Every structure is written in C-alpha cells, then in structure tokens.
Amino acid sequence: MAQTEKKGGLLRKSSASKKPLKEKVVLMYDEIFTTEDPSKCNPRFWEELFLMKVNLEYLEGKLEALDGEELMKIKDNINCLFQHCIQALGEEHPIRVVNALQTLCALIRGVHQKNKSTSGFDIINMLVGFDKAELCMKNLMESLDSLLCAEGSESLKSLCLKLLLCLVTVTDNISQNTILEYVMINSIFEAILQILSSPLSRREHGYDAVVLLALLVNYRKYESVNPYIVKLSIVDDEATLNGMGLVIAQALSEYNRQYKDKEEEHQTGFFSALTNMSHPEMGLMTTPTSPVPTTPVTPLGTTPPSSDVISSAELPLDADVQTSNLLITFLKYSSIVMQDTKDEHRLHSGKLCLIILTCIAEDQYANAFLHDDNMNFRVNLHRMPMRHRKKAADKNLPCRPLVCAVLDLMVEFIVTHMMKEFPMDLYVRCIQIVHKLLCYQKKCRVRLHYTWRELWSALINLLKFLMSNETVLLAKHNIFTLALMVVNLFNMFITYGDTFLPTPSSYDELYYEIIRMHQNFDNLYSMVLRLSTNAGQWKEPASKVTHALVNIRAIINHFNPKIESYAAVNHISQLSEDQVLEVVRSNYDTLTLKLQDGLDQYERYSEQHKEAAFFKELVRSISINVRKNLAFNTLSQELLLKEFSTIS
C-alpha cells in the first residue's frame, strides 16, 4: 500500500497517479462555498465543524479568491457560518470556542479584504445580514466580554483580544469601519479595564488591551460622542491607571533597551558600517564624530514587547515595587526618537512626544510634580554624538527635579536639528514647551536651580542659524514666527526673571549673555527692519520681531558704552566676565525698559482642529501595523490548542 504523508493541510499519496486527499475541514469549507445549505445533507455539519482544527490560511484565501459577485451568491452560507461561530462561543467545550474565534478572524479578514471598494454596510450584510446584524453583534460582544472577564484560560483571552483587534483594524481608516458601531453600542470597556487592573492579566494581555483601547477611543471621535473616550475620562481607579501606565512604560522601556543594545553594538565598529545619520549641514552644525545607531524600527501598536526583557532595576511589573517612573522612561524614549527627524516614522513619533510634553507643561498638577524639589531623579537622556562635546558620564548626572530633564531635552533638540531639512513644526513646539514651563515658574514663583545659560546659548545659536540661512529657510517657512517666540522667551527672563531665577547673580548672567552675544541680536534687528520696511509678504511678521526686540536692544545700547568706558578708564583691552558683571550690577538703576504685555500668556493645546489630520494619519499607521502583525501564526494559537486537546 502506498505511503501517505501530511503536507500543507492535505494528505498526499506517494503515487503520482492518485489525486491528493483534502483534510476534512477543508472539504467542509468547500461545502460552505457552494450555494447549497451544507447542513441539508448533514444535520450535524456545524457541530462537527467546530470540533476540527481551523485552517485559517485556506479559509481566508478561499474568501479572497472570490470576486464580489461570487461572494454574494454564497452570502446565506457566510451569514450562517458567522451566526454559528457566535453560538459556539457559548459552548462548554473550550475547543469549540477556540475554533469559533479563529473562524471569525478568518471570516472578518477575508470578507473585508475582498470588499475594499464596497461600503461598510455591504460588509455587515455579507457577514451577518442586515436583518440579524444588531442581535448577532450584541451576542458576539457579550460573549467576548464574558470570556475576557472569566476566570478561564489566559490563552483564550488572548485570542479574544486578537479577534477584537482583527475586527477594529480591517480598514486602514478605523472611522470607516462601520462594524465598530456595534462595538460602541455593546461596550467592552470594563473588560479592558479589568485586564489592566489585574497583575496576571496585565502581564499576559496588557499590550494588546492598551492598543485596542487606543484604537477604540479614536473611532469617529471628531464626529460624534465616543463612549470609550467618555468612560476613559472618568476612570479614577488607581490599580487600573497604574496598570495602564506600567504597560506603556514596559513598551517604551523595551524600545529604549533595543536602542541601547544597538548603540553598544555600534560602538564595536560593526554597526557603524550599516548606519549613517549625519546631518546635512548649513554652516552652523558640526557633523557627529560617528554615526548614530539607527533606532529600533518597531512602530507603535505592532509587536508587543517580551515580558521578560525589562530589568528589575528599570521597571518591575508590580507598581508597588517600581523604582523608576513612566515619565523618566518616556523622556528617555523621547530623547531617542527625536534624534533623527529625517525618517518619517520617527518624525511623527517625535511630534507625538512633543504634543504629550505640551499637555504636561500646561497641566497644573503635572507641573507641581515636575517642579517638586523633594522629588529628585537622575535622568540619563540619549545625546547625539557631536565633535564639539564629550559624552556625559552617567555617574556625573545630578539628582534634580524632573523639569530639569524636560528642559535638557528641549535644549538638546534645539542644538542638534539646525539643518537643511529644518523641522520647523517641532522647533515651534519645543519653544512653546519651554515657555509654558516658564509661565508656571513665574506664576508659582518657583526658583529652579537649572543651568539657564545652556538654554540661553542654544536660543541665541538658533537665531544665528535662522539669520545665516534666511533665503533657504524663507522659501519653506515663516521663520519670524519662531524668531518672535525665541525673542519673547528672552523677554520673559528680562521682565519676570527676578521672580523665578534662582539667584540675583543668575539675572546678572542673563544680561551678560545678551551683551556678550549682542552681535546676533543686532544682526537680527537689521534683518527684520529691512523686511518690515519693504512691502513684501514678510512685512507684518518681521515688524512684530522688531517691536519685540525693544528691551534687548535697550540693554545692549545701555550697557555696551558703560563697558567700553570702564575698559578705557582702567586701560583693559578685554574685560573678564566678573568685570563685565560688575559694570552690569552698578548700572541697573539707569536702565529704562518698556513694559511688554502678554509675555506670560499662551494658547492652550487643542487637538481639534489643528492636530486632527496628524492623529488620523497616526491611527491609520497603527491600524495597518496591527493588522500586519495579526499573522496566521499569532491567530492559530498552537499552545492553546494543546491546552484544550482533550475534550471532557
């Protein structure tokens, strides 16, 4: 008798003259894909189907192979299969439940894949039928909710979440996925929260749960009231919120760890041959001494991090023994993704980080935490290798309030992105964050012990860069918006510095820095005066900068003659810093400055309408990546099948 072997879901005989034998489940699928009712000749058809191991690839491929017209011919059988899947979810035997969940994944993916051009209502009709849609989807969501909240198998819960992710991400634009209307009506919000609040469930399913929630809160959020947003906004359970934070922190920590590993690999010399991220120069920036390692490429909302890769020192899974915090992990992550903005994915990630920091910088409670002098941390931000500075040793990092790390991150961005592909939008956000932090410090009279000189120097160099590359930059950007913001930061320090700078000598150092770098301010004034007196398109924005420079120019014009006079009287060719500061301190009384209104006012962040397009595109990319990662191997759950291999 000829030997048989199992291959690709088919039983093949070694004899070439014999046709291959299809496995039984495949034969049953073929019956569904005819116009006849498969249970007509076999009343136990559906019962038997869900006892057989699902062939996801065959079922989904079969659906994709049909055109719209062919699919319509077998609509009744597709509806029947969908309804029997839902019924099987209530079965006692877990093997039936597993097979029903996998079959639903294949059905939803297959039908959507084939019907991209048709409307969502056609897809609902194809899967469930208009007349039964409401009841069927209600039953489906209730079954999934029960399975997620039950004490049962963690593998089964994992498959439920995979099915929900499958359901949510079948369209690139989730707001066009009308099946989600039923997910809105029949909420699984509490089930998601239960997963996040339980240490065991969170460890197993936290990543999928957070990604699912992130997608659901973005469904038509600009067009109607999204119940998931409403419910999320009023969550006050500490265990749930901590759980959510831990899942996010773990994902970010894993990204940071991957980057650190690649950085170490790069330092051995091998990785430097593969990557090069030197900035195109425009006369001001120096080239990095060596290429920066490429950041990990896993985008947001795709492959979950392994649960065993986070070192206990960085982020234990249990909140009560956590030694780091989410904000530190986030700041480290931000310092990585904000390094290379030429890559579109990292540009978007960097923008998202700055949006989050903008919201933090506006929040009274977040600011109180950031500025708390009793809450000090060492935050080792990633810095881009550059010729003119040495890599800071980790052990030399001071212990400071977290706001210092935020300011360091902003300064780092300012000094490392002055290049041809100038990220204007990110610079504006960066300066806005600094401004909002200063407004809080001025309002609450917080005297932060920070090396403000580094910020002042970075801001002045930014102005210098804008002037040096005026023609190139003006072809793409209104650089006067940014210049005005930078000048007004100096005006904040000049007008209100005595309320938030740590010492009187800090205020003196501000004046010293303005005087020392006066040539840059003089050049800026000449440039904006030239453009504000012309009738060109930059007349109005340039004239705003002209008016904003009034106090800076008053300081320069007041102190420079005094310094020159002091040097002449004392026969000194070049004054030391201490001597200049002495002149400054002794001549404050005769300085006249104009009162400038609105320096401590700002427009609060609003996602709608300014950021709506960005978030729609971001959610679209997450949806596509989640769908790509829901491959056959993640849906087939071999371990789960072994777990339920015996039916009692």
Side-chain angles (χ1 to χ4, degrees):
M1 191 173 176
Q3 294 293 311
T4 60
E5 60 176 27
K6 191 166 184 181
K7 187 176 182 182
L10 302 177
L11 288 169
R12 298 187 180 276
K13 290 203 171 188
S14 55
S15 169
S17 62
K18 301 286 184 182
K19 287 185 178 179
L21 297 175
K22 291 185 177 181
E23 58 181 311
K24 187 169 181 184
V25 74
V26 168
L27 291 169
M28 294 183 84
Y29 291 155
D30 287 345
E31 287 188 58
I32 294 169
F33 281 82
T34 66
T35 53
E36 295 293 322
D37 176 1
S39 63
K40 186 184 274 187
C41 298
N42 178 7
R44 291 173 55 82
F45 179 88
W46 300 110
E47 190 180 336
E48 289 175 8
L49 179 67
F50 294 111
L51 287 174
M52 308 216 178
K53 182 182 173 184
V54 176
N55 188 327
L56 276 166
E57 199 164 358
Y58 185 85
L59 181 55
E60 197 169 320
K62 190 90 173 167
L63 284 162
E64 288 178 21
L66 301 177
D67 60 32
E69 197 175 314
E70 290 170 328
L71 203 58
M72 278 304 294
K73 287 177 182 174
I74 59 162
K75 176 183 145 334
D76 289 346
N77 282 356
I78 298 291
N79 289 176
C80 209
L81 175 58
F82 197 90
Q83 288 157 30
H84 277 91
C85 284
I86 295 168
Q87 285 174 25
L89 294 181
E91 294 274 355
E92 285 182 20
H93 298 312
I95 201 78
R96 292 183 186 277
V97 179
V98 171
N99 290 331
L101 287 168
Q102 292 170 345
T103 305
L104 283 168
C105 287
L107 262 180
I108 292 163
R109 281 156 59 105
V111 171
H112 264 277
Q113 186 74 13
K114 197 66 224 156
N115 285 268
K116 282 182 175 175
S117 58
T118 62
S119 71
F121 286 110
D122 287 339
I123 289 161
I124 291 167
N125 189 34
M126 183 60 64
L127 284 173
V128 207
F130 288 136
D131 54 335
K132 301 184 186 74
E134 199 169 319
L135 180 60
C136 275
M137 291 305 296
K138 180 176 181 289
N139 292 338
L140 172 61
M141 296 307 297
E142 284 177 355
S143 294
L144 292 174
D145 187 75
S146 298
L147 290 167
L148 289 171
C149 295
E151 293 292 322
S153 158
E154 295 302 321
S155 301
L156 199 57
K157 289 181 184 180
S158 176
L159 193 52
C160 285
L161 286 168
K162 293 284 190 290
L163 171 58
L164 284 163
L165 285 169
C166 187
L167 192 72
V168 173
T169 62
V170 282
T171 55
D172 293 354
N173 181 349
I174 63 166
S175 293
Q176 290 176 351
N177 181 2
T178 49
I179 289 184
L180 285 188
E181 284 298 328
Y182 299 103
V183 185
M184 294 294 123
I185 297 163
N186 305 286
S187 175
I188 48 155
F189 183 79
E190 285 71 22
I192 295 173
L193 292 201
Q194 186 173 312
I195 287 167
L196 295 173
S197 61
S198 158
L200 174 63
S201 289
R202 181 173 66 242
R203 192 176 294 115
E204 295 289 330
H205 320 297
Y207 187 86
D208 280 351
V210 168
V211 172
L212 177 61
L213 185 57
L215 290 165
L216 289 173
V217 296
N218 279 283
Y219 176 72
R220 296 190 174 174
K221 63 177 177 180
Y222 304 122
E223 303 155 35
S224 58
V225 177
N226 180 315
Y228 288 83
I229 294 177
V230 175
K231 290 181 178 183
L232 185 60
S233 68
I234 56 175
V235 172
D236 61 355
D237 179 67
E238 195 172 341
T240 304
L241 294 171
N242 282 342
M244 199 179 300
L246 281 167
V247 172
I248 295 166
Q250 183 183 331
L252 295 179
S253 291
E254 167 61 0
Y255 188 98
N256 295 349
R257 186 194 65 80
Q258 286 181 33
Y259 178 82
K260 193 174 181 184
D261 288 350
K262 288 194 175 185
E263 193 175 37
E264 287 167 3
E265 185 182 356
H266 146 74
Q267 286 166 358
T268 65
F270 169 73
F271 204 75
S272 59
L274 302 178
T275 58
N276 192 323
M277 280 168 43
S278 297
H279 285 279
E281 296 194 278
M282 294 185 69
L284 181 67
M285 281 283 296
T286 56
T287 314
T289 51
S290 53
V292 179
T294 307
T295 53
V297 295
T298 303
L300 177 67
T302 58
T303 310
S306 318
S307 57
D308 58 348
V309 291
I310 310 301
S311 69
S312 58
E314 171 73 8
L315 185 77
L317 285 168
D318 296 325
D320 53 346
V321 292
Q322 192 175 339
T323 56
S324 183
N325 69 48
L326 174 55
L327 189 53
I328 291 174
T329 308
F330 172 68
L331 290 171
K332 287 181 180 180
Y333 168 81
S334 300
S335 71
I336 294 169
V337 297
M338 284 164 57
Q339 284 185 21
D340 177 22
T341 58
K342 296 190 296 299
D343 175 279
E344 189 180 17
H345 170 66
R346 292 180 202 119
L347 176 68
H348 289 162
S349 297
K351 180 175 177 176
L352 182 60
C353 288
L354 288 171
I355 288 173
I356 292 167
L357 286 169
T358 299
C359 295
I360 288 171
E362 290 184 358
D363 187 270
Q364 186 80 4
Y365 298 104
N367 263 311
F369 173 70
L370 286 176
H371 290 85
D372 190 339
D373 209 25
N374 299 311
M375 299 277 284
N376 294 325
F377 301 89
R378 285 189 179 90
V379 184
N380 183 23
L381 298 175
H382 291 269
R383 289 160 60 102
M384 193 177 286
M386 297 173 74
R387 279 203 193 106
H388 64 273
R389 67 178 183 188
K390 291 180 181 177
K391 185 175 170 64
D394 297 359
K395 61 184 178 182
N396 296 332
L397 288 170
C399 225
R400 305 173 297 171
L402 275 177
V403 68
C404 296
V406 179
L407 288 166
D408 283 349
L409 183 62
M410 298 303 100
V411 170
E412 173 67 10
F413 182 85
I414 291 168
V415 299
T416 56
H417 289 78
M418 298 180 221
M419 53 194 181
K420 271 181 188 170
E421 294 302 317
F422 187 68
M424 177 75 170
D425 176 55
L426 300 194
Y427 266 99
V428 167
R429 292 171 193 276
C430 187
I431 303 301
Q432 284 174 338
I433 290 165
V434 175
H435 179 236
K436 288 170 182 181
L437 293 173
L438 291 181
C439 289
Y440 175 83
Q441 291 166 24
K442 178 252 176 186
K443 178 185 174 185
C444 299
R445 295 185 173 263
V446 176
R447 295 191 181 276
L448 185 68
H449 289 272
Y450 182 73
T451 49
W452 290 111
R453 265 191 172 180
E454 289 185 10
L455 173 64
W456 299 331
S457 174
L459 293 172
I460 291 169
N461 278 326
L462 175 56
L463 289 176
K464 183 179 176 183
F465 173 80
L466 295 178
M467 289 182 286
S468 302
N469 301 283
E470 174 195 342
T471 309
V472 175
L473 293 175
L474 275 178
K476 294 181 179 178
H477 311 289
N478 176 2
I479 59 172
F480 302 108
T481 304
L482 184 58
L484 180 64
M485 293 170 71
V486 172
V487 169
N488 277 336
L489 276 188
F490 280 101
N491 286 330
M492 272 284 288
F493 282 104
I494 293 164
T495 309
Y496 302 118
D498 59 333
T499 66
F500 62 82
L501 286 172
T503 61
S505 62
S506 305
Y507 198 70
D508 302 336
E509 286 167 6
L510 167 68
Y511 277 62
Y512 172 79
E513 204 64 25
I514 291 170
I515 294 159
R516 185 177 74 86
M517 303 294 284
H518 73 89
Q519 193 61 57
N520 290 297
F521 291 108
D522 293 343
N523 292 345
L524 177 63
Y525 182 73
S526 300
M527 182 180 101
V528 292
L529 188 65
R530 165 171 50 85
L531 288 163
S532 63
T533 51
N534 293 339
Q537 68 178 112
W538 306 118
K539 180 180 173 68
E540 189 180 341
S543 62
K544 286 181 181 176
V545 182
T546 310
H547 297 311
L549 282 165
V550 60
N551 282 341
I552 293 172
R553 296 193 71 246
I555 290 166
I556 294 166
N557 294 335
H558 176 74
F559 286 105
N560 266 355
K562 303 276 192 296
I563 292 165
E564 288 166 9
S565 173
Y566 180 93
V569 168
N570 293 282
H571 306 289
I572 304 168
S573 58
Q574 193 169 353
L575 271 62
S576 67
E577 182 176 335
D578 287 340
Q579 288 168 328
V580 172
L581 287 170
E582 186 185 327
V583 175
V584 168
R585 289 188 195 102
S586 57
N587 287 280
Y588 274 132
D589 293 347
T590 51
L591 173 66
T592 305
L593 297 175
K594 288 187 177 178
L595 186 64
Q596 292 179 308
D597 295 327
L599 292 174
D600 58 345
Q601 304 296 313
Y602 58 81
E603 185 183 348
R604 292 188 67 83
Y605 170 80
S606 173
E607 181 180 323
Q608 179 75 321
H609 302 274
K610 290 182 180 177
E611 313 291 355
F614 168 70
F615 277 104
K616 278 180 181 174
E617 195 52 45
L618 190 65
V619 173
R620 177 190 290 269
S621 71
I622 294 169
S623 180
I624 291 168
N625 284 313
V626 169
R627 186 168 68 242
K628 281 180 184 173
N629 279 273
L630 286 170
F632 291 117
N633 59 335
T634 63
L635 296 172
S636 62
Q637 297 280 320
E638 291 298 328
L639 288 173
L640 187 144
L641 289 169
K642 284 177 186 172
E643 187 181 331
F644 298 130
S645 57
T646 357
I647 300 175
S648 54

